[in-house]
Amino acid sequence: MKTKILVVDDEADLELLIKQKFRRKIRENVYEFVFASNGQEALSVLAQHPDTDIILSDINMPVMDGLTLLSKLQEANPVVKAVMVSAYGDLQNIRTAMNRGAFDFVTKPVDFTDLETTMEKTAQHVQQLRETLRAIQENNILKMYVDETVLNVMARPEFEHTLMVSETVQASVLFVDICGFTSLSEVLPPADIVGMLNTYFDQMVKEIIAQGGRVDKFMGDAVMAVFRGDFHLDRAIDAALAVRATVQANEYTLPDGKRYQPQVSIGVNTGEMVSGNIGSASLKRLDYTVIGDTVNVSQRLQSVAQPGQVIITESTYELVKESFQCRPLHEVTLKNKAQPVMLYEVVA
């Protein structure tokens, strides 16, 4: 990988000397040099070459000296590292340079073998710094796509060696669907549809997170969330009621001036399920999720719920009847279920 080096010195013959001493490395595209005659000019050159890795700077220069340049580098380019190359190698100058952020100090007359070793060491440090910053940026982007709970699991030391290991857990699952949203795609531009959908999703996610839930996935205009730990069922239903209230309180004005009043249909179920990474380790495409009959029933409850309803089964009702106001509805045969299921609506 090529290292770009900015040399800052007012000695007119130094540029030629540098090019002669490092001509093979320049020819092999290992080093690329740019030059400036003082600190002020160096800042301009640095702005033109933001990919600069190293600055080799003298101290005593007109217009702006090297120590002043050092004090401005953090703002100009926080990644680049400076090596001071000066005949003023007394302890005071060295300490001042290091306190202002110099990576190293080389005295004149220059030992070019020592200078090259210093340049290589500095270049390695800059490369590591760039990789760290890139990892932080990638991690911040990853957080936009992956739930924080999943990231915490991924950070465990044993995670890589247990990618395909699953566990059976007791949890509650919440499915939320925005009713009638598909029909809006026929009258609204795609950009408006995406913007509206993201707005409603953001409202839902805030309520889910507030109750300690983990957003498992977004599916078209639907959301799946999982609740684990103490009182997971109560928290899932509290989240469902909060999502319903929040979404229904936010109308949307269509381009023709009509008002769109959003409604959600919600299914909540609780019980045993399998949690783990589902997918292909070879393809490196995995989904950290939960599966099982409990999850399937939750989705099917949502599919039979009417706009504005939060639907649970009779077995779930027996667990929460003292905590929530519910009303019986009717029996229904859910998809792929042999026996009919008695439905209850959570009112409040």
Side-chain angles (χ1 to χ4, degrees):
M1 183 176 295
K2 181 170 63 176
T3 300
K4 181 174 285 190
I5 304 164
L6 169 58
V7 180
V8 189
D9 200 303
D10 62 334
E11 292 185 19
D13 58 347
L14 182 62
E15 180 175 344
L16 180 60
L17 182 60
I18 289 287
K19 290 179 177 179
Q20 289 176 345
K21 290 292 184 180
F22 295 106
R23 62 182 180 274
R24 184 175 62 83
K25 292 291 182 71
I26 295 172
R27 189 169 58 246
E28 293 173 351
N29 214 29
V30 176
Y31 294 149
E32 177 184 350
F33 290 93
V34 290
F35 298 88
S37 60
N38 58 67
Q40 188 65 52
E41 184 181 339
L43 292 175
S44 298
V45 173
L46 193 60
Q48 298 169 16
H49 298 271
D51 57 339
T52 299
D53 299 295
I54 303 171
I55 292 177
L56 303 179
S57 177
D58 193 9
I59 290 181
N60 188 25
M61 296 178 291
V63 185
M64 181 187 292
D65 62 71
L67 295 178
T68 303
L69 171 62
L70 272 176
S71 66
K72 298 180 179 295
L73 283 183
Q74 181 63 30
E75 181 180 354
N77 189 325
V79 176
V80 69
K81 293 300 176 184
V83 175
M84 307 310 292
V85 184
S86 175
Y88 295 91
D90 57 277
L91 184 59
Q92 182 177 351
N93 274 313
I94 292 175
R95 291 299 304 158
T96 301
M98 302 306 287
N99 287 336
R100 294 188 183 186
F103 184 78
D104 210 333
F105 200 109
V106 174
T107 57
K108 292 180 178 179
V110 177
D111 180 337
F112 280 93
T113 300
D114 176 66
L115 177 61
E116 184 167 10
T117 300
T118 301
M119 288 161 51
E120 290 175 354
K121 178 184 67 175
T122 309
Q124 289 176 1
H125 178 82
V126 171
Q127 180 60 28
Q128 291 172 354
L129 181 59
R130 291 190 194 279
E131 291 175 357
T132 300
L133 292 174
R134 183 165 56 249
I136 292 172
Q137 182 183 38
E138 290 172 350
N139 188 56
N140 289 336
I141 294 173
L142 181 63
K143 287 180 179 178
M144 297 177 64
Y145 290 88
V146 182
D147 186 272
E148 188 172 355
T149 304
V150 179
L151 291 176
N152 291 336
V153 172
M154 292 167 62
R156 295 174 185 170
E158 72 277 7
F159 177 77
E160 186 175 352
H161 304 291
T162 58
L163 279 177
M164 306 308 292
V165 176
S166 59
E167 59 177 336
T168 301
V169 299
Q170 290 288 331
S172 295
V173 180
L174 166 73
F175 275 86
V176 186
D177 183 77
I178 304 175
C179 304
F181 200 85
T182 303
S183 61
L184 289 179
S185 62
E186 299 177 2
V187 296
L188 289 179
D192 288 354
I193 286 290
V194 171
M196 188 194 306
L197 191 59
N198 286 340
T199 297
Y200 291 137
F201 277 163
D202 195 48
Q203 294 168 0
M204 296 180 191
V205 166
K206 288 177 181 177
E207 301 299 342
I208 291 168
I209 292 174
Q211 294 297 332
R214 173 177 66 81
V215 175
D216 187 279
K217 58 175 65 71
F218 297 100
M219 304 165 291
D221 54 7
V223 179
M224 172 184 169
V226 182
F227 295 78
R228 295 174 61 172
D230 295 339
F231 304 104
H232 54 79
L233 176 55
D234 286 37
R235 290 187 285 107
I237 295 178
D238 278 332
L241 295 174
V243 164
R244 181 179 66 182
T246 300
V247 172
Q248 291 180 174
N250 290 272
E251 291 186 337
Y252 187 86
T253 303
L254 299 175
D256 59 5
K258 294 181 180 179
R259 303 288 291 177
Y260 169 65
Q261 175 63 62
Q263 296 277 351
V264 291
S265 57
I266 302 175
V268 180
N269 199 27
T270 190
E272 189 175 87
M273 60 196 72
V274 177
S275 173
N277 286 299
I278 308 300
S280 169
S282 300
L283 189 61
K284 296 182 179 179
R285 291 290 299 274
L286 299 171
D287 184 16
Y288 185 78
T289 188
V290 290
I291 60 172
D293 185 63
T294 300
V295 180
N296 296 339
V297 168
S298 178
Q299 192 278 326
R300 286 159 191 161
L301 290 173
Q302 177 275 309
S303 68
V304 299
Q306 296 299 308
Q309 286 187 326
V310 178
I311 300 299
I312 59 176
T313 64
E314 185 172 17
S315 60
T316 300
Y317 164 72
E318 291 297 330
L319 297 173
V320 299
K321 62 183 179 181
E322 296 182 358
S323 302
F324 296 91
Q325 181 182 346
C326 305
R327 67 182 183 93
L329 295 177
H330 50 78
E331 285 190 339
V332 65
T333 301
L334 301 176
K335 182 180 178 182
N336 296 331
K337 302 294 289 184
Q339 299 298 322
V341 176
M342 182 63 189
L343 302 183
Y344 282 77
E345 178 184 0
V346 182
V347 179

